[in-house]
Amino acid sequence: QVQLVESGGGSVQSGGSLRLSCAASGYTYNRYCMGWLRQAPGKEREGVAYINSDGSASYADSVKGRFTISHDSAKNTAYLQMNSLKPEDTAMYYCVVNVAYCSPSWILGYVYNLRGQGTQVTVSS
């Protein structure tokens, strides 16, 4: 069974850090993109960052310089290191997989084949 399992969410004060993990299992693809979406209460879901299986990555403008996405292909796990967190980063974060490479336009028009259950990130001021 194909599944994505996120972990690492929690509550942190403004300026703090969290690292999200997304473990993928049940599939083997040669070319794929793993990404993170987030959705805050009352707001539209938005793309945060993605990384392709070749290592290329891109970020939303709102998180550039603060978030770093990485991928351990041996573990089929993606990570999102979030530093200098702000209250506006508060949201449910979802890991997704697109069975193709993503391009920078994915941040605005994300597509995906698989999605995890989400992990909550809460940043207090």
Side-chain angles (χ1 to χ4, degrees), residues 48-51 56-60 64 69 103-107:
V48 176
Y50 72 82
I51 185 165
S56 56
S58 190
Y59 300 87
K64 279 181 183 175
I69 191 169
S103 64
S105 62
W106 183 90
I107 295 294

Side-chain angles (χ1 to χ4, degrees), residues 50-74:
Y50 72 82
I51 185 165
N52 289 316
S53 49
D54 68 355
S56 56
S58 190
Y59 300 87
D61 288 343
S62 58
V63 306
K64 279 181 183 175
R66 301 188 297 122
F67 290 12
T68 302
I69 191 169
S70 60
H71 177 247
D72 185 333
S73 58

Side-chain angles (χ1 to χ4, degrees), residues 29-34 50-56 97-106 111 113:
Y29 302 117
N30 290 327
R31 292 166 58 96
Y32 58 87
C33 161
M34 294 185 79
Y50 72 82
I51 185 165
N52 289 316
S53 49
D54 68 355
S56 56
V97 168
N98 182 34
V99 188
Y101 280 165
C102 295
S103 64
S105 62
W106 183 90
V111 292
N113 303 100

Side-chain angles (χ1 to χ4, degrees), residues 5-54:
V5 179
E6 301 104 328
S7 60
S11 297
V12 66
Q13 290 192 326
S14 182
S17 298
L18 286 172
R19 188 176 85 151
L20 306 184
S21 298
C22 173
S25 62
Y27 73 86
T28 302
Y29 302 117
N30 290 327
R31 292 166 58 96
Y32 58 87
C33 161
M34 294 185 79
W36 292 91
L37 310 177
R38 68 184 181 184
Q39 187 166 21
K43 293 189 176 181
E44 295 285 324
R45 191 171 294 177
E46 60 178 354
V48 176
Y50 72 82
I51 185 165
N52 289 316
S53 49
D54 68 355

